């Protein structure tokens, strides 16, 4: 199973729970899975319960450190500004995302957090990995939601 397959599995599980289908997986420097999560904003009644933040927090807890130096994040949607800022503070080495988010993204769109002059850390970014599949999952979810 590829890293994006794992993130997509988390996104599908989130959708099955009525959450916006975004999934994220944190990989350690040696490539092992440290944490995975899907969105839980509705279930947790927490606007910050994005897949990325949940996975980052769990990986840091597991490693016993506030920073994830050398770790990578794979996520199905371009991180929002909140999650992009968290990636800076967690010191993620690389973020790989699927679908671009022109309305809510924070890396390639919107505030472009990593490009800000005062950005403390700039992760490597790979966008558009299986973009069509990741985007279709979101479009189908919202089409079904709207009935």
């Amino acid at each position: 199973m590829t890293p994006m397959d794992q993130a997509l599995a988390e996104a599908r599980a989130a959708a099955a729970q009525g959450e916006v289908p975004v999934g994220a997986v944190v990989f350690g420097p040696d490539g092992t899975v440290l944490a995975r999560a899907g969105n839980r904003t509705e279930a947790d009644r927490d606007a910050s319960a994005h897949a990325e933040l949940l996975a980052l927090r769990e990986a840091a807890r597991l490693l016993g450190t506030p920073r994830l130096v050398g770790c990578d994040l794979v996520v199905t949607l371009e991180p929002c500004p909140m999650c992009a800022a968290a990636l800076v503070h967690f010191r993620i080495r690389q973020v790989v995302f699927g679908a671009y988010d022109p309305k809510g993204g924070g890396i390639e769109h919107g505030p472009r957090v990593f490009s800000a002059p005062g950005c403390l850390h700039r992760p490597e970014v790979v966008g558009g990995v299986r973009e069509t599949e990741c985007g279709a999952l979101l479009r189908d979810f919202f089409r079904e939601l709207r009935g």
Side-chain angles (χ1 to χ4, degrees):
M1 188 180 266
T2 70
M4 189 57 79
D5 284 330
Q6 294 177 60
L8 279 162
E10 291 297 323
R12 289 184 187 103
Q17 298 298 314
E19 301 282 356
V20 174
V22 177
V25 183
V26 176
F27 293 88
D30 63 355
T32 61
V33 173
L34 296 175
R36 60 182 73 219
N39 275 356
R40 286 200 321 250
T41 57
E42 301 300 326
D44 291 0
R45 293 178 177 83
D46 178 356
S48 72
H50 290 197
E52 301 96 308
L53 285 178
L54 297 170
L56 291 165
R57 288 174 184 152
E58 178 59 20
R61 187 197 64 75
L62 180 71
L63 294 176
T65 178
R67 288 170 217 46
L68 300 172
V69 176
C71 296
D72 298 335
L73 176 80
V74 177
V75 60
T76 57
L77 180 64
E78 177 184 351
C80 72
M82 173 181 68
C83 292
L87 293 170
V88 169
H89 291 284
F90 275 101
R91 303 295 197 269
I92 283 290
R93 183 187 75 84
Q94 181 183 63
V95 58
V96 175
F97 67 85
Y100 289 88
D101 189 354
K103 288 167 66 175
I107 295 175
E108 300 289 334
H109 297 91
R112 300 176 189 255
V113 172
F114 304 156
S115 299
C119 188
L120 303 170
H121 170 77
R122 290 178 174 84
E124 295 174 31
V125 176
V126 178
V129 175
R130 293 173 60 185
E131 178 182 7
T132 302
E133 185 176 358
C134 292
L137 184 61
L138 287 155
R139 279 189 302 281
D140 292 348
F141 174 81
F142 285 111
R143 185 177 11 248
E144 189 174 309
L145 190 65
R146 292 177 186 121

